[in-house]
Amino acid sequence: MANVKKIALRYLLGICIPSSKQNAAKVRVPRLQFDDYINMYFKEHDFVYANDPQKLCKTGDVILIKMLPNKLTRLITHEVVEVIHPLGDIMDPITGKKVVGFQYREDLDEITQLFGKKETAYDYGKAPKRGGLEDIRDFTHKKMYLKYYDDLKDPQPDTV
């Protein structure tokens, strides 16, 4: 029998964080590390790069990634399968209804119909979709750096 190298496909759940790579998402994957001295598990994070040519995920999304059989580059070892929970409008995974805090939006709409709507109440139906102010006022998709010096010749883009 020939030597067949088996590669187990591993699916991981992680949170997309800002990345400076083109067509790749940087993903923070949580894992539990066991401490022998205390006999407890502690949460630690691994950071991996996932291939994302369709730009499916944005910063803050919970995504499902799988390990590639062969590395694309030295850093890119995984691939984005799907976006599980986009950042922003939260949906209950069991019922599929949208949630605000600990209540369903449908229940809040019924309460506003019964008692009347306040002028200061937030209208979720008129809220703009996520990403409308990207590169205008929202720079969360870019990797940020601290500005260490002020120089007019070197503007240091993407700094805080």
Side-chain angles (χ1 to χ4, degrees):
M1 190 168 173
N3 288 340
V4 178
K5 188 175 182 181
K6 292 185 180 179
I7 299 174
L9 289 177
R10 290 183 17 183
Y11 287 88
L12 300 170
L13 199 64
I15 298 174
C16 185
I17 59 175
S19 172
S20 56
K21 294 275 181 198
Q22 294 290 340
N23 298 331
K26 189 174 182 181
V27 183
R28 183 180 71 197
V29 180
R31 67 179 172 90
L32 293 175
Q33 181 69 33
F34 186 72
D35 186 0
D36 293 327
Y37 186 72
I38 304 175
N39 288 336
M40 287 179 64
Y41 286 96
F42 291 97
K43 191 174 186 179
E44 291 186 358
H45 298 285
D46 290 332
F47 295 94
V48 296
Y49 284 94
N51 186 26
D52 188 18
Q54 291 93 16
K55 303 282 186 190
L56 295 174
C57 58
K58 293 185 178 183
T59 302
D61 293 345
V62 177
I63 59 174
L64 182 69
I65 59 174
K66 74 174 181 178
M67 184 179 275
L68 292 172
N70 298 322
K71 291 182 178 183
L72 282 181
T73 64
R74 184 176 57 86
L75 289 175
I76 301 174
T77 57
H78 292 74
E79 179 182 20
V80 174
V81 177
E82 67 175 307
V83 176
I84 304 294
H85 293 291
L87 184 71
D89 289 339
I90 300 169
M91 292 182 63
D92 183 17
I94 297 170
T95 61
K97 296 178 182 178
K98 298 204 178 207
V99 177
V100 177
F102 57 89
Q103 293 179 325
Y104 293 117
R105 280 197 201 169
E106 297 172 357
D107 297 342
L108 291 175
D109 292 340
E110 289 177 9
I111 291 170
T112 56
Q113 287 178 356
L114 288 172
F115 297 107
K117 187 173 182 178
K118 284 184 170 181
E119 294 178 10
T120 59
Y122 186 76
D123 190 8
Y124 290 98
K126 294 181 182 177
K129 290 283 185 185
R130 178 175 176 232
L133 293 175
E134 199 166 282
D135 278 333
I136 298 170
R137 287 189 174 193
D138 179 21
F139 298 103
T140 57
H141 63 285
K142 289 187 177 182
K143 193 171 183 177
M144 296 290 176
Y145 301 98
L146 292 175
K147 186 181 271 192
Y148 291 107
Y149 57 90
D150 289 323
D151 188 9
L152 296 175
K153 294 177 185 174
D154 185 15
Q156 303 177 48
D158 304 331
T159 56
V160 178

